[in-house]
Structures are given as C-alpha cells and as structure tokens.
Amino acid sequence: MSGLSLKYEVPGDDFTRAGEASSDVKRKLKKLGYDPDAIRRVAIAMYEGEINMVIHAGGGQAFVTIEPERVDIVLEDHGPGIADVEKAMQAGYSTAPDQVRSLGFGAGMGLPNMKKYTDEMTIDTEVGKGTTLKMTVLVNHKS
Amino acid sequence: MKISDVAAILQADVLVEGNMDTEVKTACGSDMMSDVLAFVKDQSVLLTGLMNPQVVRTAEMMDMHCIIFVRGKEADPMVLQLAEQKDITVLQTRYRMFTACGMLYEAGLRGGCEKE
Ligand SMILES: Nc1ncnc2c1ncn2[C@@H]1O[C@H](COP(=O)(O)OP(=O)(O)OP(=O)(O)O)[C@@H](O)[C@H]1O
Ligand SMILES: [Mg+2]
C-alpha cells in the first residue's frame, strides 16, 4: 500500500533552522495518532541526521514515507562523504570543529543514537560525492 | 513537583509561560544536545548553559516540557519564540549548572537516565 510521502530541503547555511523538517514530521505523526514512543524515535533519529547534514555536509534533502506499520527516512547530501563509516559509528567519534561544539553538537553521539532508535539503518557514502542515510522505524499504529 | 515549584526553587524568571501545573519527575543537565538525545527516559526538564534554537528543538524532539537556562544568560528572542510555539516553558535562573541541578535533586527531581 502507498503511504504518505514527504520531501524536505534542508538548508546547509542556517544552523538555526536545522530541525524544521524533523519537527514537521513529528507534528504529522502526532496528528495521525502514531504511538508516542515511535514518534519520539523517528523525531530523534531524523533530527540527528538533519543536524549532521547541516554541520557536516552543507545541507541536503530528506525524504520521509509514512505507512501504518513503518516510517522510512532517507537523508541525502552531496557533502564530503564519510571516509571511515565504522569509525564514525563509534560513540564519541567526531570531526566537528570547536565552533560546532560550542553550539551543543559534536559529541560524536549522533550516529550511535540514530542506530539505537531505529530498527534498520544503512549508510551509503562516497568520499567527495556525498552520503545517503536510510533509516526505518517500525511502529505500532494506534487508533 | 510542578513546573511552578521548579521555578520557585530556582528563584527563576519565567521567560515563556507554558502550563506551570505540569508534573515533572525527571531532569537532565547538559550543554551537549546529542548527550541529551542519547537518553530517552521521559525526562521532562532540560537544564542548559547553551542559548540557541537547537536547545528548543532538542527539547521538542524529546517531548520535554521545560527548559531552564542557567547562570543568567541573555535570552535570545528567536529561542523564546520557538519555545512559545512548541508550548515549552522557559525559565532562567542566576544559579549555575551544578547548583541548580543540586537544588532540584534535593527537592526530589531525579535523573531518569537509563543508567540510574
Ligand atoms: N552527512 C555526513 N556527511 C559527512 N560526514 C558525516 C555526516 N554525518 C556524520 N559524518 C561524520 O561522522 C562523524 C560522527 O557523526 P555523529 O553524528 O555520530 O557525531 P557528530 O555529528 O560529530 O556529533 P553529535 O552528533 O554528537 O553532535 C562526524 O563527526 C562526521 O565526521
Ligand atoms: Mg551528529
């Protein structure tokens, strides 16, 4: 069956606006009556991904598909790519500059968080070309 | 305790007034938003020394009800506006992070993180 498909532009030049896409998805899921725990997992995972696109990749696009049993999130950017994905997945690993850290990010917790809160996550990345991150959250649809 | 109790304990200014009667049991104090996002366990209060819109976004994603800015940082109108939109109460206290957390802990608020 076909779900609700959403597409967002995530601007890379405005840190203050990062998270608007995730916020919108969260609001839509709430309206649709999804389980609060599932909504929170989607919101946090997508938000971390959105922030990563803004601080590491100069922005990108987010594609979200909402179905009764699952929410799929695809985050696509044309940033620098990730040279060592295994390393990037480790808690505490971050290449974020001090200026990003002073904004409250760069703890190296984003990717591990995303992995933790989603049921499936794959990273497709190439240095110099960009990164595509796919995440799936399985939900218990209520109402 | 209620958010109004939190405000009283910290002698805080109420910068954005949401529902002051909301019951809160757990809190989290951090300047690293990804650390906050790492421990989802119904924490409803966020204490932070940071002042930018992503603090509100983080609280929003976590379904938190109250943000407390410690050590009297100058409030950013953009931050307050976003919090108002999201129905999140914003308090400001002159106490520093350690002291503010300690006062709330003493009054019965807990960490609520998975490791506690
Ligand atoms: N979209 C991306 N493009 C390029 N590099 C990325 C991207 N996402 C993550 N990375 C790399 O992976 C590292 C780890 O990412 P992760 O989200 O775990 O931590 P962080 O963003 O540095 O800090 P935090 O998420 O705690 O704020 C980053 O520091 C960066 O080097
Ligand atoms: Mg990150």
Side-chain angles (χ1 to χ4, degrees):
Chain A
M1 72 161 273
S2 68
L4 174 61
S5 290
L6 308 162
K7 183 186 168 187
Y8 301 92
E9 295 294 329
V10 178
D13 54 355
D14 191 355
F15 173 79
T16 60
R17 283 187 56 197
E20 280 182 1
S22 309
S23 176
D24 190 66
V25 169
K26 181 171 182 177
R27 196 170 55 235
K28 286 197 163 74
L29 291 174
K30 226 182 207 168
K31 223 180 228 169
L32 291 167
Y34 277 77
D35 172 58
D37 183 64
I39 296 178
R40 210 188 292 178
R41 291 195 292 133
V42 168
I44 294 172
M46 184 172 167
Y47 178 59
E48 290 278 19
E50 216 184 321
I51 291 277
N52 276 358
M53 285 204 295
V54 174
I55 64 181
H56 303 298
Q61 291 178 316
F63 304 87
V64 180
T65 316
I66 300 173
E67 288 177 58
E69 301 298 332
R70 58 190 290 153
V71 177
D72 290 281
I73 304 156
V74 178
L75 302 172
E76 209 179 297
D77 69 58
H78 302 284
I82 304 172
D84 189 338
V85 172
E86 208 175 309
K87 217 173 180 180
M89 286 300 302
Q90 285 171 12
Y93 176 82
S94 174
T95 60
D98 283 348
Q99 171 237 343
V100 164
R101 216 150 286 154
S102 70
L103 294 168
F105 291 88
M109 294 299 294
L111 288 172
N113 280 354
M114 290 149 85
K115 175 102 192 147
K116 184 164 107 185
Y117 293 127
T118 56
D119 295 290
E120 283 163 44
M121 172 167 139
T122 57
I123 302 176
D124 192 5
T125 183
E126 200 180 326
V127 172
K129 290 234 163 100
T131 302
T132 301
L133 200 127
K134 292 184 184 165
M135 298 183 284
T136 302
V137 171
L138 301 175
V139 293
N140 307 309
H141 192 227
K142 282 180 187 164
S143 86
Chain B
M1 68 182 80
K2 292 180 172 160
I3 291 179
S4 54
D5 299 324
V6 173
I9 291 164
L10 297 177
Q11 296 166 36
D13 292 328
V14 182
L15 304 185
V16 175
E17 187 171 341
N19 184 356
M20 302 300 281
D21 289 330
T22 301
E23 276 292 328
V24 294
K25 293 193 175 70
T26 53
C28 172
S30 181
D31 288 351
M32 286 309 253
M33 293 303 111
S34 278
D35 269 345
V36 176
L37 292 160
F39 302 105
V40 178
K41 262 291 171 217
D42 289 317
Q43 294 147 107
S44 34
V45 179
L46 171 63
L47 294 99
T48 187
L50 271 189
M51 178 67 72
N52 68 56
Q54 299 312 331
V55 173
V56 183
R57 288 275 178 227
T58 298
E60 178 197 355
M61 301 306 159
M62 302 282 286
D63 299 311
M64 287 172 153
H65 304 293
C66 176
I67 298 169
I68 301 167
F69 291 115
V70 296
R71 61 177 151 74
K73 282 226 161 179
E74 176 106 26
D76 174 348
M78 200 172 171
V79 170
L80 301 185
Q81 201 187 341
L82 193 59
E84 205 166 330
Q85 265 173 38
K86 302 297 165 192
D87 217 5
I88 295 170
T89 297
V90 179
L91 305 178
Q92 180 162 53
T93 177
R94 65 188 166 82
Y95 293 109
R96 296 176 65 190
M97 178 70 101
F98 178 81
T99 311
C101 290
M103 290 166 90
L104 293 179
Y105 192 93
E106 207 168 57
L109 222 54
R110 288 295 175 263
C113 285
E114 282 158 358
K115 283 174 187 156
E116 281 179 75

